[in-house]
Amino acid sequence: MNQKILKLENLIRYHTVFRQLHSLGQRRMLAQWSPVFSSAYPVGTAQLCIRPWQIDPFVGAALSQYRLLVTKKEERAQKSPLSSPKFKKEVEVWIGMTVGELARAMEKDIDCVYEALMNTAIDIDSLEAHSHLDEVWIKEVVKKAGMKLKWSKLKQDKVRENKDAVRRPQTDPALLTPRSPVVTVMGHVDHGKTTLLDKLRKTQVAAMEAGGITQHIGAFLVSLPSGEKITFLDTPGHAAFSAMRARGAQVTDIVILVVAADDGVMKQTVESIKHAKDAQVPIVLAINKCDKTEADPEKVKKELLAHDVVCEDYGGDVQAVHISALTGDNLMALAEATIALAEMLELKADLNGPVEGTVIESFTDKGRGPVTTAIIQRGTLRRGSILVAGKSWAKVRLMFDENGKTIHEACPSMPVGIVGWRDLPSAGDEILEVESEPRAREVVDWRKYEQEQEKNKENLKIIEEKRKEHQEAHRKAREKYGTLHWKERSFLKYQEKKEQKPLKTKEKEEKDSNVLPIIIKGDVDGSVEAIVNIMDTYDASHECELELVHFGVGDVSENDVNLAETFHGVIYGFNVNAGNVIQKSATKKGVKIKLHKIIYRLIEDLQEELSSRLPCIVEEHPIGEACILATFSVTEGKKKVPVAGCRVQKGQLEKQKKFKLIRNGHVIWKGSLTSLKHHKDDISVVKTGMDCGLSLDEEKVEFKVGDEIVCYEEKEVPAKTSWNPGF
C-alpha cells in the first residue's frame, strides 16, 4: 500500500511543479511588456518558492480518500482467509444414520448436531451418539448448518460377506442307501401312545412319566422280530405341547395316529392330523383300546372322515389297524403296516459326506453339560465331528443311544444323544457339519450378526412409531397453547402438573401387586418352549400383568433366586430340582420356588398365584326382603321424614345391615336405615310376617306402594383370574 501511495504522491508533485513553472514563464513575458507590473516579480518569486508537498485542497482530499480505500481493501484481503472456514459444501447422508455419523459427515462436533435439534419436537435428552435419526431431523441439521444435502443410496459401511453354513446339494440317487423309517406317534392325551411304544420296546416309559402323560419327545430305535428297524418319536398329546408335535411331524417319514376306540376323535387328534398334512407325511391309523367293551372302531373311522382321513374300508388310502396297547393285541400287524408303507416310500439316504440332522430335544446334564437328542438325516456322525446348530457349535466328545449306551457312529434315521456343545441349541434347530472349529465359530458369529441386524431393523421401526407419537403429541400441545398468552400458558401447565400427583406409598404397593414377575426353569428346551407358549396366550393383563423375567434350562440356581428377589417374582420349575442351599437362600430372601412334575399342575398353580394378586370381589348376600304396603311422613322437629310401612316376606330385616330399594326391577337407592320400628317401639330385627316402619338415610328418596326393600350384607370373596389357557 505504501509504495502505491508514494507513486501517486510523486505524480501529483511533478504535476504541481510543472504548473508552477508554466505560470512563472507567463509572468516574465508580462513583465517585459508592462513595466508597471515590475513589482509583481517578487511576488512571483515568492510563489515559486512553494514547497512541493503543498498541493491543492482538492488533490489532498482525493489523496486522503484513496488512502482510505486502499487500506480497507488490504484489511479485507487479510480477513478473508479467516472469515471463510473450509466447510464441506455437500454432505452425503443416508436413512437411519446415527448422531455420531452425521457429525462426522459434516466434519463438525457432535454438539453442533444437538444445538441444531434444540427447540424441535425431538427429545434431545434421550439422544446418544449411537441414536438413529429420522430423515426429517437429518434434513433439519444439515439445513441449519448451511450445507447442501446429498442422499446416499447405500450406507457406506462395508457389507459383510455371508459366512453361513448351508445344506449340501442332493446326492446322485444311484449312490443312496436304503434306511429305516422315522415314525412319529401322535394323538390325544391318554389315548395310549406311550403304552404302545412300551410294548414294542418292552419297557415301562409311561410308568416313569409324571402323571402317566408324556411331557417330552422320546426318540427310540425299535428292532422288530423280522429284523427290520424303526425309529419312533413319541410326542406329547397334552394341549400344552403343540410346538413339540409340530416339530415331530417335520422330521418324520410316517405318522401313526393313535385314537382311543372308546373316546373317539378329540382336540389334539385333530391338531395332529393338521400337523401331518402340513408336513405332507402319510398317516397310519392305530385304533387303540379295542379290548374295552365300550369300544367302537367304526365310530372313530366315521368321525375321521370329517377331517379328510379316509380309511381303506371307506375307499381311501389310510391303513387302519385295531390294536390294544395294554394287552399287545395286533401290534405286529401295526408294525408290518408301517414297514409296508416305508417300502412304498423307498426311503434312502447318503451315508457319506458332511452330517445333516435335526435337534429333537436339548437339556443340560450336571456331569455332561449341554446335551441334545438328534435325528441324523444325511451322512455318518462320528466322534470328533464339528457341528453347528442355530447359534451354537460342538465338537462331538461323546455319543449315546436312547438307553444311555455309548456308540461310536450314528447313521441316517438313528436317534443319538450328542455331548460337546458350547451352548445349548434350541429344539428344532438344523444340525450341519463343518470342516473345522474356526469355520464353526465363523458360522455362529455370522448368525449372531444376522440376528443383531434383524433386531436393529425392528428397533428402527419402534423408534419411528415412537417419534410419530411424540411429534403428534407435540403438535397437539402447540395447538393447545399456541394462541395463549405466556401467563395463561404457564398457569395451565401448572394446573396439569398439579393434577399429576405422585403415587402414595399405599397406591404404589397396590400397583406393584397387580404385576406378577415369573422365572421359568425346565428340564429340557422343549418343555420350556411349551410353557412360554402358554404364557403367550395370557389375555388378562387388565386384571394383573404377567411379566416373564427369565426362562432357561436346568435346575434352579442362586442367580435365579437373586433375579426373583430383585423383581419380587416367583420361580416356577418344571421337572427340575432346587437344592437345600438354594431353598434356604430363597426362604431367607422371601422368594417363592414352586416345583412341579406335571405341566397342567404348574399352570393351575400359576392361575392361583395370579388370582391371589387380584383385589377381592364384594358380593351381596340377601338376608331378608320386605314389600312396601303404605307410605306416610312423620314430623321430626321442623322436618318431615318419609316413612314406609312394610311387611317382611322373606328372611328378616336387621337395622345394622345394608339395604337397597328396588322399583320395577331397578335398584334406585342403596344405604342404611335411620330408624326401624314395630308399632311405636324401636327394634333392631324384624322377622318374617311382621309389619314395620322404616326411614332411610337419604330424605330425597320417595317411596311408592309395591316397592321392595332388600336387607343384605357384603362379603369379600377372593377373585379368580379370567385367563383360560385352554385345558
Side-chain angles (χ1 to χ4, degrees), residues 213 238 341 400 403 426 457 463 475 505 524 565 618 687:
I213 63 170
H238 196 272
L341 183 57
F400 55 90
N403 298 315
S426 298
K457 287 180 183 178
I463 289 168
R475 186 186 64 78
T505 307
V524 296
E565 182 191 17
V618 178
K687 296 183 178 179

Side-chain angles (χ1 to χ4, degrees), residues 46 62 68 109 148 224 316 348 440 445 520 525 551 555 588 610:
L68 185 62
D109 190 74
K148 189 177 178 182
L224 301 177
K348 294 182 179 182
D445 289 343
I520 303 293
D525 185 72
F551 59 88
D555 290 340
K588 186 178 179 181
L610 285 165

Side-chain angles (χ1 to χ4, degrees), residues 520-538:
I520 303 293
K521 296 302 291 283
D523 56 342
V524 296
D525 185 72
S527 300
V528 176
E529 178 191 25
I531 297 168
V532 172
N533 287 342
I534 294 170
M535 301 295 108
D536 291 339
T537 66
Y538 184 71

Side-chain angles (χ1 to χ4, degrees), residues 646-685:
C646 308
R647 179 172 294 159
V648 180
Q649 296 177 328
K650 186 178 178 182
Q652 61 185 25
L653 305 185
E654 299 179 18
K655 186 179 179 182
Q656 302 301 323
K657 303 294 182 183
K658 295 201 172 186
F659 288 79
K660 57 185 176 181
L661 179 63
I662 300 174
R663 181 177 299 156
N664 298 326
H666 299 286
V667 177
I668 61 173
W669 168 86
K670 277 186 177 184
S672 305
L673 301 182
T674 54
S675 66
L676 179 63
K677 295 187 177 184
H678 178 63
H679 299 302
K680 293 184 179 181
D681 300 327
D682 289 324
I683 54 175
S684 57
V685 178

Side-chain angles (χ1 to χ4, degrees), residues 14 41 65 88 218 220 261 285 375 389 432 440 444 705:
Y14 293 151
Y41 182 81
Q65 289 294 325
K88 282 184 72 176
F220 317 105
L285 178 62
I375 293 287
L432 297 174
V444 170
V705 176

Side-chain angles (χ1 to χ4, degrees), residues 76-95:
R76 281 182 198 143
Q78 290 173 359
K79 288 182 180 179
S80 59
L82 298 173
S83 60
S84 56
K86 296 179 182 178
F87 288 138
K88 282 184 72 176
K89 292 183 180 179
E90 196 171 59
V91 181
E92 193 168 9
V93 297
W94 56 88
I95 292 174

Side-chain angles (χ1 to χ4, degrees), residues 40 91 95 103 141 220 234 248 274 295 308 318 341 347 377 399 403 431 590 643:
V91 181
I95 292 174
V141 172
F220 317 105
D234 182 17
K274 183 179 180 300
D308 295 329
V318 176
L341 183 57
L347 301 172
Q377 293 164 321
M399 295 186 296
N403 298 315
I431 296 175
V643 176

